[in-house]
Amino acid sequence: MVVARLSAEEMAWFASVPADDPARIADARIRDHAEREGGRTLAYWKLELGRIWGDPIMMTPDEAAARLGWTEAEAEEIRQATFRACGYA
């Protein structure tokens, strides 16, 4: 269970990554999917990858699950469904 609180400098670095960078593309796909799905999917990803919504936080899947009151298996279901929808699985 790990939570990373990102500094302003770290957030600026993430924002400076070129739009055509594979990691930036992956972030955008995850964000877009989570926002389309809403509900549990959006709640989960806003914890694991808060930085892609401008929130200076990131956390491991088990920590996100614990904060949501879910099992790790429930969080993993959200992750895998997202990865499939984004073409990563």
Side-chain angles (χ1 to χ4, degrees), residues 35-85:
E35 289 177 348
R36 274 193 313 275
E37 290 293 309
R40 290 170 54 95
T41 300
L42 184 58
Y44 173 79
W45 285 110
K46 280 192 166 187
L47 291 177
E48 185 174 333
L49 292 177
R51 65 177 174 74
I52 63 179
W53 281 274
D55 187 6
I57 194 165
M58 294 170 58
M59 63 186 66
T60 55
D62 60 329
E63 179 66 25
R67 289 182 182 215
L68 291 165
W70 300 353
T71 65
E72 288 181 42
E74 289 174 296
E76 188 60 24
E77 287 176 26
I78 296 287
R79 294 179 89 243
Q80 292 306 314
T82 298
F83 297 153
R84 285 190 302 274

